[in-house]
């Protein structure tokens, strides 16, 4: 039997029509034990999701999507941009291997709608290392698609990070692109406009909350009683509209006031930081989807919501980089094994969210600290375990931050043990580890989840 990982939920992740747009999901695979792609496609379809954005072009994932009729965005990793910028032949090979061979033909194959060039290559923490290659890579991919007679079916886009645009004052009317990006953005927008492609951008109310002391939690969560923000004669009732209109102004400032916008990533993590909880994520997600479904748009684009919005993310990924914060591994609406994390009442009465079915688990075994041993070196062993596994739930504000010593040691040992497929030698730790069949989970802290 699978372990009791989380509360079963009532939630809408589903893609749904509202005006001219839709809500889809990001599907990442940076996990030690990812669900089999066929299981994920079943999960998407059983929850009525019809659009999915991939961060790469994994063959197993694309094969699983074949015949699903899901609208798909395939991604090109940042590491490939230099080569694709310098070589049209490399771009043709990439398109052949990752688009042409999978693309839908009369219902079979994969319904590829976009190629995303780079994974937020303008993220400020990357510096300018990818800037010189993005536009050239996008152009070469478009040329390759045209040669394959796919340019009318598949659009080329570049996902832009939440920190690509800003307003120092916090007022949308003062929005602009980062100074180091101005020239590149004009080139990108000219390219997108020429080929009728939308502007892909991340909106991150969660990060805005953590980085801006003038933004309240209620304002971020679409609460009706939140104190509004005023900008001249415009009134903003939530953080999403505020960030979106900062982008709208940035686009207008460089000469593209009517550019179509796709929100390529937006979500709320459930662990690893203050306010990163399942209940808060539930409130945010419900508020977001209700707002999008209302078709109200924003003060600068009334009755004109984003043409598409992609929730970040479908599943937790325990190997994502935590350079931004420990919450990075907890964006999933579902746990790593496809179990929903929280309740979310769909305003249109959609069916309840369906968990992944028939998931295979390893035996119900855990690795804990042996209290009969000398534990003077246990902390050092746990730090070593955490450096090679996922202990982000132990961080301040995390779901397991309140468990005391030596419970936190057991959490670290077990995380390493599960990640290494419960091999006996992965519960050694110099003789301090002990394999048990008694679930050591306490309160809201799931000390472990048996690996897939």
């Amino acid at each position: 039997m699978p372990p009791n990982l989380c509360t079963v939920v009532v939630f809408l992740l589903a893609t749904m029509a509202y005006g001219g747009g839709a809500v889809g999901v990001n599907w990442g695979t940076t996990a030690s034990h990812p669900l089999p792609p066929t299981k994920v496609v079943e999960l998407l379809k059983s929850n009525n999701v019809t659009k999915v954005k991939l961060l790469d072009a994994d063959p197993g994932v694309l094969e699983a999507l074949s015949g699903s009729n899901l609208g798909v965005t395939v991604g090109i990793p940042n590491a490939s941009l230099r080569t694709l910028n310098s070589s049209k032949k490399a771009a043709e090979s990439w398109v052949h291997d990752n688009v042409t061979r999978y693309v839908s033909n009369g219902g079979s194959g994969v319904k590829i709608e976009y190629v995303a060039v780079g994974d937020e290559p303008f993220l400020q923490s990357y510096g300018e290392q990818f800037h010189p290659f993005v536009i050239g890579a996008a152009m070469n991919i478009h040329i390759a698609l045209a040669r394959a007679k796919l340019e009318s079916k598949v659009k080329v886009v570049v996902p832009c990070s939440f920190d690509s645009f800003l307003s120092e004052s916090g007022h949308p009317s003062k929005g602009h692109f980062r100074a180091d990006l101005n020239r590149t953005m004009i080139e990108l927008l000219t390219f997108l406009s020429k080929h009728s492609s939308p502007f892909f951008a991340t909106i991150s109310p969660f990060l805005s909350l953590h980085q801006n002391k003038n933004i309240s939690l209620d304002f971020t969560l679409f609460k009706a009683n939140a104190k509004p923000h005023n900008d001249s004669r415009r009134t903003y009732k939530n953080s999403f509209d505020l960030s979106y209109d900062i982008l709208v102004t940035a686009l207008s400032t460089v000469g593209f006031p009517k550019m179509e916008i796709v929100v390529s990533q937006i979500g709320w993590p459930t662990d690893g930081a203050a306010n990163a909880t399942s209940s808060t994520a539930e409130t945010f997600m419900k508020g977001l989807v209700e707002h999008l479904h209302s078709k109200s748009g924003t003060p600068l684009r009334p009755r004109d919501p984003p043409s598409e919005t992609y929730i970040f993310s479908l599943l937790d990924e325990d190997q994502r980089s935590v350079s931004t914060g420990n919450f990075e591994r907890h964006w999933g609406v579902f746990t790593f094994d496809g179990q929903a994390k929280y309740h979310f009442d769909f305003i249109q009465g959609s069916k309840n969210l369906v968990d992944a079915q028939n998931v295979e688990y390893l035996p119900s075994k855990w690795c804990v600290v042996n209290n009969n041993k000398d534990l003077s070196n246990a902390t050092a062993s746990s730090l070593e375990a955490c450096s090679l596994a996922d202990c982000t739930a132990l961080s301040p504000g995390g779901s397991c931050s309140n468990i005391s010593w030596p419970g936190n040691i057991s959490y670290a040992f077990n995380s390493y043990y599960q990640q290494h497929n419960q091999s006996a030698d992965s519960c050694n730790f110099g003789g301090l580890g002990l394999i048990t069949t008694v679930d050591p989970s306490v309160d809201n802290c799931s000390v472990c989840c048996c690996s897939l």
Side-chain angles (χ1 to χ4, degrees):
M1 293 289 293
N4 182 16
L5 298 171
C6 59
T7 307
V8 178
V9 302
V10 181
F11 168 82
L12 170 79
L13 180 66
T15 295
M16 62 201 160
Y18 66 90
V23 177
V25 295
N26 284 267
W27 171 7
T29 56
T30 313
S32 60
H33 293 78
L35 273 179
T38 53
K39 289 285 184 190
V40 179
V41 173
E42 289 174 7
L43 183 67
L44 293 167
K45 294 181 74 174
S46 64
N47 288 289
N48 298 320
V49 178
T50 60
K51 288 183 181 291
V52 62
K53 177 172 166 283
L54 309 176
L55 303 183
D56 52 21
D58 181 85
V61 170
L62 289 171
E63 287 168 8
L65 286 165
S66 182
S68 68
N69 202 37
L70 296 172
V72 176
T73 298
V74 293
I76 296 175
N78 292 331
S80 300
L81 296 179
R82 179 192 289 266
T83 300
L84 295 173
N85 167 72
S86 63
S87 171
K88 288 184 174 62
K89 185 175 182 180
E92 288 182 11
S93 294
W94 191 95
V95 166
H96 175 269
D97 293 344
N98 300 289
V99 180
T100 307
R101 65 186 296 191
Y102 296 109
V103 78
S104 178
N105 289 305
S108 62
V110 183
K111 186 181 174 183
I112 297 176
E113 298 177 332
Y114 300 106
V115 173
V117 178
D119 179 12
E120 299 192 328
F122 303 132
L123 196 65
Q124 193 164 19
S125 61
Y126 293 154
E128 298 186 8
Q129 60 177 311
F130 303 119
H131 294 195
F133 314 123
V134 175
I135 308 304
M139 289 179 172
N140 285 342
I141 290 294
H142 176 80
I143 291 170
L145 287 168
R147 289 180 176 174
K149 295 181 171 54
L150 292 172
E151 76 275 18
S152 63
K153 287 185 176 181
V154 184
K155 299 294 184 181
V156 177
V157 296
V158 176
C160 293
S161 54
F162 75 98
D163 60 5
S164 299
F165 51 95
L166 67 153
S167 169
E168 287 84 357
S169 66
H171 294 144
S173 61
K174 303 297 182 183
H176 61 91
F177 288 110
R178 289 201 327 258
D180 61 300
L181 286 176
N182 259 340
R183 179 179 296 181
T184 303
M185 280 298 174
I186 291 172
E187 292 179 0
L188 172 59
L189 289 162
T190 300
F191 168 81
L192 296 174
S193 181
K194 178 180 178 181
H195 301 295
S196 301
S197 294
F199 186 84
F200 270 43
T202 293
I203 302 287
S204 187
F206 176 79
L207 290 175
S208 296
L209 174 68
H210 279 254
Q211 296 174 1
N212 190 336
K213 62 182 180 182
N214 295 319
I215 292 180
S216 71
L217 180 61
D218 284 349
F219 185 71
T220 304
L221 297 180
F222 300 90
K223 293 290 185 68
N225 62 350
K227 181 181 178 180
H229 288 225
N230 296 313
D231 184 12
S232 299
R233 297 180 180 178
R234 299 184 182 92
T235 299
Y236 289 86
K237 298 180 179 180
N238 60 76
S239 181
F240 173 82
D241 287 356
L242 193 78
S243 296
Y244 192 86
D245 276 1
I246 289 174
L247 173 58
V248 170
T249 301
L251 291 167
S252 298
T253 300
V254 293
F256 297 86
K258 302 297 184 182
M259 173 61 63
E260 177 187 349
I261 296 173
V262 168
V263 177
S264 53
Q265 290 188 11
I266 185 169
W268 199 277
T270 57
D271 211 335
N275 297 313
T277 66
S278 294
S279 61
T280 309
E282 174 184 320
T283 302
F284 174 78
M285 294 298 300
K286 181 174 181 178
L288 172 66
V289 175
E290 287 182 349
H291 182 53
L292 293 173
H293 188 78
S294 74
K295 312 176 195 175
S296 59
T298 66
L300 286 180
R301 288 195 174 181
R303 296 174 300 281
D304 184 19
S307 59
E308 296 176 16
T309 301
Y310 290 85
I311 301 303
F312 190 83
S313 183
L314 181 65
L315 301 159
D316 281 347
E317 299 171 76
D318 65 350
Q319 293 188 332
R320 276 182 63 83
S321 168
V322 293
S323 59
T324 308
N326 288 327
F327 55 83
E328 286 289 352
R329 294 178 176 175
H330 303 278
W331 288 104
V333 173
F334 293 90
T335 54
F336 76 102
D337 57 346
Q339 309 304 299
K341 295 182 186 177
Y342 46 82
H343 297 272
F344 184 43
D345 298 317
F346 176 38
I347 57 175
Q348 294 295 312
S350 174
K351 65 178 183 179
N352 296 349
L353 187 69
V354 179
D355 293 339
Q357 303 297 306
N358 301 315
V359 178
E360 294 183 9
Y361 295 86
L362 291 174
S364 295
K365 296 190 297 183
W366 297 265
C367 177
V368 297
V369 68
N370 188 339
N371 291 316
N372 294 321
K373 299 287 185 178
D374 177 4
L375 302 183
S376 57
N377 293 321
T379 298
S381 295
S382 70
L383 290 173
E384 182 180 359
C386 285
S387 70
L388 299 169
D390 178 32
C391 298
T392 51
L394 293 173
S395 59
S399 61
C400 297
S401 60
N402 292 325
I403 62 173
S404 59
W405 190 94
N408 56 347
I409 307 296
S410 289
Y411 185 100
F413 283 6
N414 184 68
S415 179
Y416 183 88
Y417 175 67
Q418 301 296 336
Q419 190 160 320
H420 289 79
N421 300 316
Q422 299 182 352
S423 65
D425 58 356
S426 65
C427 187
N428 189 350
F429 302 106
L432 300 180
L434 175 69
I435 296 173
T436 179
T437 57
V438 178
D439 187 347
S441 298
V442 292
D443 299 326
N444 293 325
C445 174
S446 177
V447 175
C448 55
C449 297
C450 290
S451 306
L452 291 170

